Amino acid sequence: MSFTSKLFGSLRPTTVNKDGYPAYTRSLEEQYVQMLLTNTMNQTFYADQHELLDNAAELHQSMAAGNPVFMAKALVYARSEGFMRLQPLFGLAVLSSTRPDLFSQVFQQVVRIPSDLSDFLTILNGLGRGEGGRAVKRQVKLFLAGVSEYWALKYNGRGRGYSLGDAIATAHPKPQDLKQQALFRYLRGQEANLALLPQVEAMEKLKTAETEEEQLAWIEAGKLPYATVTGVIKPTLAVWNSILYQMPTFALLRHLNALQRAGVLEDKRNLDYVVERLTDQQTLRKARILPFRFATAFRQVEQPELRDALREAVDLTFDNLPDIAGRSAIFLDISGSMNSGEYLQIGSVFALALYKKTAGQSLFWLFDTEVFDAKPSRRDSILGQAEQIRARGGTDTGAPVRRLLAERRKVDQIIMITDEQQNSGSPFYEALRMYRAKVNKDVKAFIVDIAPYRNAMVPMQDDKTFYIYGWSDTVLNFIAQSAAGYGTMTERIAAMELQ
């Protein structure tokens, strides 16, 4: 094969997307990272849960056979940086059978809380692995050694898949002292000395309390966490008031609607407290809440003070991220397929955050088969503007680049947020190559792919185009660093050191 054939032959489309439109095949590593960071097993516009599960299983097996070291690093990255759970746990279960050494190295970084352990053991059993063998039991024992009363209260969940008690029966950990012995017996549903477990004892008393006064007394005596209380009784206004001030920030956000319905936030002291928590930048940074969670809450609440707090919270979430240098063109796909799941909601929040982080040095266009100037405001809130964006029409990913070319607008980077499912017009990559030839040969392109479909709009050989998967706030960090010459997402993962 000639040098020219090698260089340019591979730039032709090699596959088709879900609409039968020409597309490119990703490398195995790119497909794997995309799946880990976007495939939540929720039905999408083009694929149901069974297809997504089959695709995921195939990729986990292929990666375990082809590049298990990269796989182990990617599982850690997806869990810690992408905030994903199910796919990293699925991959961990597959890795346990092929590379027990790598599995043991990353287990504690992927399985972080008891619900992770429960799901991992459920997946393992579903794969026909039973109890998983010695390497699995060893890691489960290490995990169980750190189980606290709080975890016992919040996560035991007997009767709902694998409980902590089931995990103890599987791994047979040896108790380190009398308190742990009592805790393990309790989790196994056996008679235990609850005097050694004051919080557990208070929760058991709470279950049988007959009056609100008794409920409040046991909540106070055991300093019972909100998750335990709401899991065993239906809170009254008085009970909500007693647990409000110990709820973590994410729990407050998730329960805003319930707190509002219960009348808790009619008390100005309570309302002021919630608003203060939701708009404290340091608190938000520690909580690491995905921005679209605020958008979900925003749709559910009606109180103006809460809606204002949520608007401010999203803007604060992005304030500590780096600015994006140079002039950018931000394109948001608003086609009908983006209406699947939360794609458009997520995409709108990130596109507007990107616009703000470019300090006004950018264009923000919406596109389906046509292109529209979103006319964004740097002063108005991200959530308020995102709420106005609606899905419509087909998909022509080349359309916004063709308009850039027609208007001879020179930008340093093109950032497109899309599910990549083109079904009309000319391809994105054809328009991008023309733009590079006629306007700016050095323009970088960032494709923020928020869907789990396995084809691509750009050949992997293009070293000026970067694929970014998922929707955590690390996306903006990655774009800023890559614009300055950092490298691809897969390169970043490959460079990680396993602990």
Side-chain angles (χ1 to χ4, degrees):
M1 182 182 291
S2 71
F3 174 78
T4 304
S5 296
K6 287 181 181 178
L7 189 61
F8 292 99
S10 59
L11 298 184
R12 297 173 183 167
T14 53
T15 185
V16 294
N17 67 17
K18 293 288 185 178
D19 265 324
Y21 209 83
Y24 298 87
T25 303
R26 305 181 198 273
S27 70
L28 178 60
E29 287 77 13
E30 287 282 346
Q31 290 183 52
Y32 193 62
V33 172
Q34 178 204 25
M35 183 270 292
L36 285 177
L37 293 174
T38 64
N39 190 340
T40 60
M41 297 298 191
N42 290 326
Q43 186 162 315
T44 69
F45 192 86
Y46 288 103
D48 62 21
Q49 290 177 330
H50 294 294
E51 183 177 348
L52 292 173
L53 179 60
D54 290 344
N55 285 342
E58 178 189 339
L59 281 171
H60 285 307
Q61 294 289 352
S62 297
M63 186 56 65
N67 195 344
V69 173
F70 182 89
M71 178 182 186
K73 294 177 180 181
L75 295 176
V76 174
Y77 182 89
R79 185 70 181 95
S80 59
E81 299 295 329
F83 312 133
M84 302 298 280
R85 284 186 65 254
L86 190 56
Q87 286 299 351
L89 293 171
F90 190 178
L92 190 67
V94 172
L95 190 63
S96 70
S97 67
T98 58
R99 285 292 301 271
D101 56 330
L102 289 172
F103 160 80
S104 299
Q105 238 179 314
V106 301
F107 181 90
Q108 304 292 339
Q109 298 170 72
V110 178
V111 176
R112 296 187 164 194
I113 55 178
S115 56
D116 293 343
L117 181 64
S118 173
D119 287 345
F120 169 75
L121 293 173
T122 299
I123 293 167
L124 202 66
N125 188 58
L127 294 174
R129 295 281 317 286
E131 296 180 352
R134 284 181 295 178
V136 170
K137 286 187 177 181
R138 188 180 306 115
Q139 292 303 314
V140 173
K141 282 181 182 179
L142 290 172
F143 182 91
L144 292 172
V147 171
S148 63
E149 276 192 79
Y150 172 75
W151 275 5
L153 296 176
K154 183 176 179 180
Y155 294 108
N156 190 33
R158 284 194 290 268
R160 300 196 303 258
Y162 272 89
S163 66
L164 281 170
D166 295 327
I168 291 168
T170 295
H172 305 292
K174 185 177 180 181
Q176 298 174 4
D177 53 35
L178 289 176
K179 181 174 180 177
Q180 193 169 72
Q181 182 184 59
L183 187 62
F184 285 177
R185 288 185 63 82
Y186 169 75
L187 289 170
R188 291 286 291 121
Q190 300 168 348
E191 187 176 343
N193 182 2
L194 297 188
L196 297 171
L197 308 170
Q199 277 196 302
V200 170
E201 183 176 39
M203 187 197 69
E204 293 300 323
K205 296 289 187 181
L206 176 63
K207 290 178 181 178
T208 59
E210 296 181 355
T211 66
E212 184 182 81
E213 185 179 3
E214 286 181 274
Q215 290 176 342
L216 293 170
W218 285 116
I219 292 170
E220 175 61 29
K223 298 192 180 340
L224 296 178
Y226 87 95
T228 296
V229 175
T230 57
V232 298
I233 64 171
K234 184 177 181 180
T236 62
L237 176 58
V239 169
W240 275 121
N241 280 325
S242 74
I243 60 177
L244 173 65
Y245 291 84
Q246 45 106 331
M247 293 173 72
T249 306
F250 185 38
L252 276 177
L253 184 65
R254 287 183 58 207
H255 288 86
L256 278 182
N257 200 22
L259 292 168
Q260 186 175 254
R261 288 197 313 268
V264 177
L265 302 181
E266 292 176 12
D267 184 323
K268 188 176 185 305
R269 174 174 169 268
N270 291 343
L271 179 60
D272 289 347
Y273 169 76
V274 170
V275 168
E276 183 180 351
R277 285 284 300 280
L278 291 176
T279 55
D280 182 271
Q281 189 167 24
Q282 192 64 29
T283 298
L284 292 172
R285 187 177 293 122
K286 289 180 180 177
R288 302 188 76 181
I289 301 170
L290 293 176
F292 74 88
R293 300 286 189 189
F294 294 101
T296 301
F298 189 73
R299 293 199 309 268
Q300 295 174 342
V301 299
E302 297 174 357
Q303 283 178 271
E305 297 93 338
L306 289 178
R307 290 173 69 84
D308 285 344
L310 292 169
R311 290 187 184 100
E312 185 177 347
V314 169
D315 290 353
L316 288 171
T317 297
F318 291 106
D319 270 357
N320 62 320
L321 296 174
D323 292 331
I324 298 173
R327 185 160 176 77
S328 300
I330 302 165
F331 303 145
L332 174 63
D333 182 350
I334 60 167
S335 62
S337 62
M338 286 287 286
N339 218 20
S340 178
E342 297 174 314
Y343 293 165
L344 187 60
Q345 175 184 298
I346 294 164
S348 299
V349 169
F350 275 108
L352 286 159
L354 279 166
Y355 178 76
K356 290 200 171 191
K357 296 311 292 185
T358 58
Q361 296 298 307
S362 62
L363 310 168
F364 177 26
W365 293 348
L366 311 176
F367 73 93
D368 46 23
T369 54
E370 300 177 32
V371 182
F372 315 88
D373 188 340
K375 295 183 169 47
S377 166
R378 290 179 60 203
R379 295 184 178 180
D380 292 347
S381 74
I382 290 171
L383 280 188
Q385 295 182 78
E387 197 177 30
Q388 305 306 313
I389 297 174
R390 299 285 186 271
R392 45 167 281 181
T395 312
D396 180 359
T397 57
V401 186
R402 291 197 303 275
R403 177 167 165 180
L404 267 188
L405 177 59
E407 297 179 6
R408 287 295 194 273
R409 297 207 190 200
K410 186 176 181 180
V411 296
D412 299 295
Q413 50 258 342
I414 292 170
I415 305 170
M416 178 174 286
I417 302 170
T418 178
D419 65 355
E420 296 197 79
Q421 296 307 296
Q422 180 148 350
N423 54 28
S424 66
S426 62
F428 170 82
Y429 194 56
E430 180 180 308
L432 178 62
R433 290 171 70 184
M434 189 68 70
Y435 180 84
R436 283 174 173 161
K438 295 191 174 184
V439 180
N440 182 6
K441 65 183 178 61
D442 296 317
V443 69
K444 292 182 178 179
F446 297 90
I447 312 300
V448 183
D449 188 337
I450 57 178
Y453 312 123
R454 293 169 63 176
N455 44 70
M457 301 193 308
V458 175
M460 295 296 108
Q461 293 83 357
D462 181 345
D463 60 3
K464 293 178 185 174
T465 300
F466 302 83
Y467 266 91
I468 300 161
Y469 308 110
W471 45 75
S472 76
D473 54 9
T474 58
V475 167
L476 299 187
N477 259 323
F478 181 82
I479 291 175
Q481 291 171 5
S482 295
Y486 185 91
T488 69
M489 187 171 274
T490 51
E491 288 170 346
R492 172 180 293 189
I493 292 171
M496 288 171 55
E497 294 288 338
L498 287 175
Q499 297 179 7

